[in-house]
Amino acid sequence: MASDCYWCAAGTPGSVPSPIAGRNIPLGCCAQCQVLSCGHHAIRNKFKQEFKCWDCLVLTLIGSATDDPAITAIDRKALQRFDKELAPVVENRTTTYKDFDEFELYTPELKAWFPIIRDIHIDWTEWPQSIARSLETLPDNKQRLLIAAGLILSELEGTDRISETDSPFRHALLNAVNVKQYG
């Protein structure tokens, strides 16, 4: 039985910067969601020996960024109310990356994006005030994780495929990071 990359079948247009194989050639099963992914839509963390699709990597980055003493229990509840998708992410708080430096170390296949991530700054003006207030207090190395998530979303999914209705946090993140500023 032939198998396809889930993200290729779903029409995900983008790619990680240094794919290790061709499109729609599944290399593994995502350690988090268990979908088959090709080298254009997933990366392998060589230190933890896990393969993770781009979508789960984005959620991991958001979870890692919000796992910080600056984010209170009240802030977590506000994030969960803002976007239901974030409920398990901010509640479980299983951090994969303690900060952006560790993310860089564990994901060398994304190194072409690291200078871009370091140059982008988040614009919090379009976010709900309660969300912006808590996220902008995060240390720079945690905010960089959110910027990385925004860049991955932009590069792999594209700004026109994420609606404010379906995913308010992702939509706001794309707008806040303003990834077009590097292009």
Side-chain angles (χ1 to χ4, degrees), residues 119-160:
D119 286 343
I120 293 175
H121 299 284
I122 297 178
D123 177 7
W124 298 109
T125 56
E126 300 298 318
W127 289 71
Q129 193 175 22
S130 62
I131 304 297
R133 193 173 40 247
S134 60
L135 294 178
E136 67 187 346
T137 63
L138 289 170
D140 183 65
N141 239 2
K142 291 285 191 156
Q143 287 191 31
R144 296 269 163 246
L145 293 173
L146 292 175
I147 293 167
L151 180 59
I152 292 167
L153 282 171
S154 175
E155 291 293 323
L156 277 101
E157 193 64 29
T159 55
D160 58 334

Side-chain angles (χ1 to χ4, degrees), residues 10-164:
T12 301
S15 175
V16 297
S18 301
I20 57 174
R23 278 195 184 274
N24 209 18
I25 301 170
L27 296 177
C29 185
C30 176
Q32 195 164 332
C33 73
Q34 286 74 53
V35 300
L36 287 174
S37 297
C38 70
H40 284 257
H41 297 120
I43 62 166
R44 184 170 185 271
N45 181 327
K46 66 181 183 178
F47 295 103
K48 296 193 177 199
Q49 298 180 354
E50 71 180 12
F51 191 65
K52 196 170 274 196
C53 75
W54 73 270
D55 191 50
C56 290
L57 180 59
V58 165
L59 291 174
T60 298
L61 288 166
I62 293 168
S64 297
T66 58
D67 186 16
D68 190 86
I71 304 293
T72 66
I74 293 169
D75 296 332
R76 285 185 215 298
K77 293 293 181 201
L79 284 167
Q80 292 169 355
R81 280 191 304 276
F82 179 56
D83 191 335
K84 305 269 185 263
E85 177 187 41
L86 296 181
V89 175
V90 298
E91 194 59 40
N92 291 340
R93 298 188 330 208
T94 23
T95 305
T96 300
Y97 307 107
K98 68 177 181 170
D99 57 26
F100 183 70
D101 293 334
E102 186 174 273
F103 175 68
E104 277 186 305
L105 177 67
Y106 285 3
T107 58
E109 57 269 71
L110 300 179
K111 69 180 173 188
W113 288 346
F114 296 152
I116 297 165
I117 294 166
R118 289 200 181 282
D119 286 343
I120 293 175
H121 299 284
I122 297 178
D123 177 7
W124 298 109
T125 56
E126 300 298 318
W127 289 71
Q129 193 175 22
S130 62
I131 304 297
R133 193 173 40 247
S134 60
L135 294 178
E136 67 187 346
T137 63
L138 289 170
D140 183 65
N141 239 2
K142 291 285 191 156
Q143 287 191 31
R144 296 269 163 246
L145 293 173
L146 292 175
I147 293 167
L151 180 59
I152 292 167
L153 282 171
S154 175
E155 291 293 323
L156 277 101
E157 193 64 29
T159 55
D160 58 334
R161 291 175 48 113
I162 297 174
S163 76
E164 186 173 12

